[in-house]
Every structure is written in C-alpha cells, then in structure tokens.
C-alpha cells in the first residue's frame, strides 16, 4: 500500500480513483477523519487519501494523475482565455464575467 496524494475535495479524489481503476490499478480511498479524531486533531483536518494497493503501481498511477491534472489545467487555461478588457476602466475581466468586477460596466 502506498499513499499517492491527499486532497480536501472528495469529488476530486474520487475522480482520480476512477481514472486509476479504469487503467486497471487497484486503489482505494482512505478517510483520515477517524485517525485525526484519535490523534485529537480537529475534524476539519479530515480529508480523503488516495492509496494504491500495490507499491509497484505507484509510479504509473502518479503518471496517470499527472496527465489528469495537466488536462485539467489545460481546460482552466481555455476557460480563462477569453478575458476581456473593460471599456470603462480598462480592467482585465475573466471571460465568465458578464460585467466588469471593478466598475460594473457591461461587457462591450
Ligand atoms: Zn470596469
């Protein structure tokens, strides 16, 4: 058993688990909350941990997850690519904003 990574967003960890399982890598999610409670740590520190059953699978698993996060970054970059410049104050506004976050002017 080898820990791959931990992340507070359970959805994300679950998604990574699905990627690994699809690639035939045995893995599971361990929730640290019980251990945190036993250790007297606050429950807010509880977060899911993604582990591979076989240590030998770890390098391949890491590679798959790296591809996944690279693809995710690519999507983020594309979403941010249509930034626009506010006609009123000249501020750069993210593409998903319909009006300027600074002065409220509508997208020109
Ligand atoms: Zn503006």
């Amino acid at each position: 058993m080898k820990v791959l990574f931990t992340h507070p967003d359970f959805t994300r960890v679950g998604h990574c688990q699905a990627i690994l399982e699809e690639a035939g890598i045995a893995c599971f999610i361990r929730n640290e909350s019980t251990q945190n409670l036993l250790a007297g740590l606050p429950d807010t520190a509880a977060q899911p941990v993604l582990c591979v059953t076989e240590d030998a699978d770890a390098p391949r698993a890491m590679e798959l997850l790296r591809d996944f996060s690279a693809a995710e970054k690519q999507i983020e970059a594309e979403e941010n690519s249509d930034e626009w410049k506010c006609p009123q104050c000249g501020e750069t506004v993210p593409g998903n904003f319909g009006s300027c976050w600074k002065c409220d002017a509508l997208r020109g």
Side-chain angles (χ1 to χ4, degrees):
M1 194 283 287
K2 206 173 178 100
V3 172
L4 287 178
F5 81 104
T6 175
H7 195 278
D9 183 356
F10 197 89
T11 314
R12 192 196 163 92
V13 180
H15 193 87
C16 290
Q17 184 193 24
I19 289 171
L20 297 186
E21 282 180 341
E22 207 169 298
I25 295 174
C27 58
F28 61 95
I29 294 173
R30 196 174 67 183
N31 198 315
E32 295 289 72
S33 67
T34 318
Q35 288 175 12
N36 281 334
L37 286 174
L38 289 174
L41 293 168
D43 203 32
T44 47
Q47 52 183 23
V49 181
L50 185 60
C51 310
V52 285
T53 312
E54 300 294 333
D55 286 18
D57 284 336
R60 198 166 146 244
M62 293 299 260
E63 206 166 304
L64 285 164
L65 296 182
R66 205 164 40 228
D67 287 352
F68 166 64
S69 65
E72 210 177 39
K73 279 207 185 80
Q74 180 70 28
I75 290 166
E76 264 172 39
E78 276 166 17
E79 276 172 0
N80 292 333
S81 65
D82 62 337
E83 281 180 344
W84 51 282
K85 206 176 167 102
C86 174
Q88 192 163 301
C89 70
E91 193 59 58
T92 305
V93 187
N96 58 339
F97 279 57
S99 60
C100 176
W101 57 267
K102 197 175 183 184
C103 73
D104 239 12
L106 286 175
R107 187 175 184 163

